[in-house]
Amino acid sequence: MVAIADGKVGLLVYTLTNGEGEVIDQNTADDPLPYLHGAGNIVPGLEAALTGKSIGDTFEVSVAPEQGYGPHDGRDPLGVPKEHFPPNVAIQAGMHFMAQGEDGQPVIVWVDHVEGEVVFITQNHPLAGVTLNFAVEVVGIRDASDVEREHGHPHGLDGTAGHGHDH
Ligand code: ZN
């Protein structure tokens, strides 16, 4: 029996709910999520729970923020004039950008909301501080190709998908 391990691509059908039982994200068997195990494509708590799983396995796992999208730092979003953002991009809540942190290191900033010409940004992922409850079925496992391992992500369900992504 093939088991999920580093260097394998797993195909997942999942439902993600928060602590209140609200569905945050889900997919269907028609559209499984491929991910490369061991490459940090998915949150650490889910990746760890998938280690050793086989095709057909179903399970539920509750992932604390520390093993998910991190704790919320409690800071309010910061307002920034829209002109500081790339032109020709419709800025919307949930988008993220690379910016320079206080120490000059690259950081990801998320758009919390937009008010007129002011964009409110935060370093908290939209799901920071949220306990993530995953219900998962493993619907496929295959070996990653050399190129996929080099890139650190799968190229579609069967590894032959074109490079539509921006990595
Ligand atoms: Zn790639």
Side-chain angles (χ1 to χ4, degrees):
M1 185 75 95
V2 180
I4 291 181
D6 288 356
K8 300 283 188 189
V9 172
L11 306 183
L12 310 179
V13 177
Y14 67 95
T15 299
L16 169 60
T17 54
N18 64 16
E20 282 74 55
E22 296 162 339
V23 174
I24 298 169
D25 192 16
Q26 64 187 145
N27 66 352
T28 63
D30 300 338
D31 185 27
L33 172 74
Y35 83 102
L36 175 59
H37 196 79
N41 295 171
I42 57 178
V43 295
L46 178 58
E47 189 166 58
L50 280 157
T51 303
K53 292 287 192 286
S54 302
I55 294 174
D57 283 354
T58 61
F59 65 95
E60 294 183 8
V61 61
S62 182
V63 176
E66 289 70 21
Q67 293 297 310
Y69 292 102
H72 196 287
D73 66 12
R75 291 193 211 172
D76 290 330
L78 180 73
V80 176
K82 213 179 230 176
E83 67 204 39
H84 289 208
F85 290 81
N88 311 320
V89 177
I91 309 293
Q92 291 174 329
M95 296 177 95
H96 62 275
F97 297 87
M98 292 306 295
Q100 217 167 52
E102 286 157 14
D103 310 329
Q105 84 285 21
V107 295
I108 297 174
V109 294
W110 297 85
V111 176
D112 186 81
H113 63 286
V114 181
E115 282 180 25
E117 292 304 304
V118 181
V119 179
F120 286 83
I121 58 169
T122 173
Q123 287 188 37
N124 294 300
H125 184 281
L127 292 175
V130 175
T131 296
L132 308 168
N133 299 303
F134 290 96
V136 181
E137 179 178 5
V138 178
V139 297
I141 301 172
R142 64 174 172 80
D143 291 324
S145 70
D146 291 344
V147 176
E148 288 176 317
R149 275 198 290 271
E150 197 177 302
H151 287 195
H153 54 231
H155 292 164
L157 300 183
D158 63 2
T160 64
H163 247 190
H165 54 72
D166 57 4
H167 300 292

